[in-house]
């Protein structure tokens, strides 16, 4: 009886507004906000650490492109391979129908950051560490977008905060609609906590410059361990996942978790280089040249002294 009183009837319209036949959805807004936040955070990182704005401009293009293409292609390959292999053009033409995979976005961003690091001649790990800050808060925003779409829902439950997703059962009376876990909210809340931890590591502990690789490892383990565990109370996204011991989301999360563990181990050994801004490199080179000149002068004086 208590559950019937407190569950939430969710019948949210995912469309913000329409322009002709084009629907502008809240889900698209969350992606746009994620990209904007990424640009703002990297601008802050670059200024704080003495790097020029050109690295942000380069990174914005390649990382954004990698995230969007990776998310779309990842969904098509991981979840609906048979459909899209028969209609490969639908990967682009049917993008408005939905279908974005976070694991694909992660792979795409890794590739985009690698290209950016090569172009900017910076350590790859600098980008890896800092990308986790906007990724964690962006992941929370995207999951709220999934909630607006009434997708990626949880399994049936009797908890009092369960949701009745009306739009998933359009022809069913509300009193007969099952109560489901709001798995999107669970993930969003966990990602917000991870965001707070990463921001604390960057601002208070200065881990981005003290121990390269730590922030990336914490972000990877936090985000994908969250995803792995919450999948246990999610409804299967695709029919082929029924009966699987671990679903596709969990199987794809395991390599990222292991990579996070390996990165933590290696970062504590000091295996990854710390990026040095151009101004510091110039000072270091100048100091080195000055020291070398001073050394020659001392050697010359000693030689002269011996000669006398």
């Amino acid at each position: 009886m208590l559950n019937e009183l407190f569950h939430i009837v969710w019948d949210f319209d995912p469309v913000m507004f329409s322009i002709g036949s084009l629907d502008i959805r809240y889900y698209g807004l969350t992606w746009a906000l994620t990209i904007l936040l990424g640009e703002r955070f990297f601008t802050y990182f670059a200024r704080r650490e003495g790097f020029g704005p050109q690295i942000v401009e380069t990174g914005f293009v390649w990382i954004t492109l990698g995230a969007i293409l990776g998310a779309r292609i990842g969904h098509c390959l991981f979840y609906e391979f048979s459909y899209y292999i028969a209609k490969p053009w639908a990967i682009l033409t049917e993008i408005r129908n939905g279908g974005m995979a976070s694991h694909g976005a992660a792979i795409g961003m890794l590739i985009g950051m690698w290209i950016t690091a090569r172009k900017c001649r910076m350590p790859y790990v600098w980008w890896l560490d800092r990308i986790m800050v906007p990724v964690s808060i962006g992941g929370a925003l995207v999951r709220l977008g999934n909630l607006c779409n009434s997708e990626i829902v949880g399994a049936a439950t009797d908890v009092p905060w369960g949701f009745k997703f009306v739009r998933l059962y359009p022809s069913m009376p509300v009193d007969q609609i099952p109560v489901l876990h709001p798995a999107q909210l669970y993930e969003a809340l966990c990602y917000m906590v991870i965001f707070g931890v990463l921001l604390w590591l960057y601002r208070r502990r200065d881990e981005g410059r003290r121990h390269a690789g730590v922030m990336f490892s914490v972000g990877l383990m936090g985000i994908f361990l969250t995803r792995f565990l919450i999948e246990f109370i999610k409804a299967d996204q695709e029919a082929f996942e029924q009966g699987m011991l671990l679903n596709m989301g969990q199987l794809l999360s395991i390599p990222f978790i292991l990579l996070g563990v390996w990165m933590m181990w290696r970062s504590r050994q000091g295996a990854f280089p710390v990026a040095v801004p151009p101004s510091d490199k110039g000072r270091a080179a100048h100091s080195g040249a000055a020291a070398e000149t001073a050394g020659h002068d001392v050697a010359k004086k000693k030689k002269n002294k011996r000669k006398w």
Side-chain angles (χ1 to χ4, degrees):
M1 183 65 180
L2 184 64
N3 295 344
E4 291 298 321
L5 290 174
F6 285 98
H7 67 246
I8 298 168
V9 177
W10 187 255
D11 189 17
F12 190 85
D13 186 355
V15 179
M16 295 171 58
F17 57 89
S18 299
I19 303 174
S21 61
L22 178 64
D23 293 335
I24 307 300
R25 295 173 174 264
Y26 291 98
Y27 180 71
L29 176 63
T30 61
W31 270 90
L33 287 174
T34 297
I35 293 170
L36 178 62
L37 281 173
E39 189 274 336
R40 289 290 83 199
F41 270 113
F42 269 101
T43 298
Y44 164 70
F45 297 148
R47 287 177 179 172
R48 185 174 187 264
E49 299 178 36
F51 293 99
Q54 65 275 8
I55 70 166
V56 181
E57 296 168 4
T58 304
F60 180 81
V61 173
W62 289 106
I63 298 171
T64 301
L65 190 63
I68 295 174
L69 290 179
R72 179 59 179 163
I73 295 172
H75 171 82
C76 298
L77 292 180
F78 300 148
Y79 292 98
E80 296 186 72
F81 179 78
S82 59
Y83 177 79
Y84 285 103
I85 197 64
K87 298 172 59 179
W89 60 88
I91 294 175
L92 295 178
T93 60
E94 297 184 12
I95 193 170
R96 288 174 58 188
N97 297 336
M100 306 286 272
S102 58
H103 297 90
I107 295 171
M109 284 190 293
L110 289 174
I111 296 172
M113 285 184 289
W114 180 80
I115 295 173
T116 302
R118 297 273 294 181
K119 286 184 171 293
C120 296
R121 297 181 180 179
M122 293 174 63
Y124 186 31
V125 72
W126 188 90
W127 295 91
L128 296 178
D129 276 339
R130 286 148 188 81
I131 196 66
M132 300 313 298
V133 177
V135 160
S136 54
I137 191 63
L141 289 172
V142 170
R143 281 296 176 253
L144 293 178
N146 295 135
L147 180 63
C148 294
N149 285 347
S150 296
E151 61 188 2
I152 312 184
V153 299
T157 182
D158 58 357
V159 297
W161 57 85
F163 276 48
K164 287 193 172 188
F165 292 96
V166 175
R167 291 176 180 262
L168 296 181
Y169 305 90
S171 59
M172 187 179 294
V174 174
D175 60 335
Q176 296 180 19
I177 294 176
V179 179
L180 307 177
H181 279 291
Q184 316 96 323
L185 285 180
Y186 298 164
E187 278 195 69
L189 291 172
C190 290
Y191 294 159
M192 288 177 186
V193 172
I194 295 166
F195 168 72
V197 171
L198 289 169
L199 205 57
W200 175 77
L201 286 174
Y202 179 78
R203 287 180 55 85
R204 300 296 182 184
R205 302 274 302 173
D206 202 21
E207 287 294 332
R209 289 183 285 192
R210 292 177 63 238
H211 302 104
V214 167
M215 289 175 59
F216 182 62
S217 62
V218 170
L220 273 187
M221 290 187 287
I223 289 172
F224 288 101
L225 190 58
T226 292
R227 177 71 185 272
F228 182 88
L229 295 175
I230 291 179
E231 288 291 331
F232 283 114
I233 57 170
K234 274 187 186 178
D236 291 328
Q237 294 187 51
E238 302 295 335
F240 73 84
E241 293 181 309
Q242 295 179 8
M244 293 175 63
L245 179 62
L246 299 176
N247 64 25
M248 182 59 75
Q250 291 172 312
L251 293 174
L252 293 172
S253 295
I254 291 173
F256 289 100
I257 296 170
L258 295 177
L259 176 60
V261 173
W262 180 82
M263 284 289 294
M264 178 62 77
W265 172 59
R266 293 293 288 158
S267 67
R268 302 311 296 180
Q269 294 180 329
F272 304 112
V274 176
V276 179
S279 57
D280 290 351
K281 288 180 181 178
R283 284 195 294 269
H286 178 74
S287 299
E292 186 177 355
T293 302
H296 285 308
D297 291 343
V298 170
K300 187 175 180 180
K301 287 180 180 179
K302 288 183 177 179
K303 186 177 180 180
N304 290 340
K305 185 176 182 180
R306 286 195 299 271
K307 186 175 179 180
W308 280 100

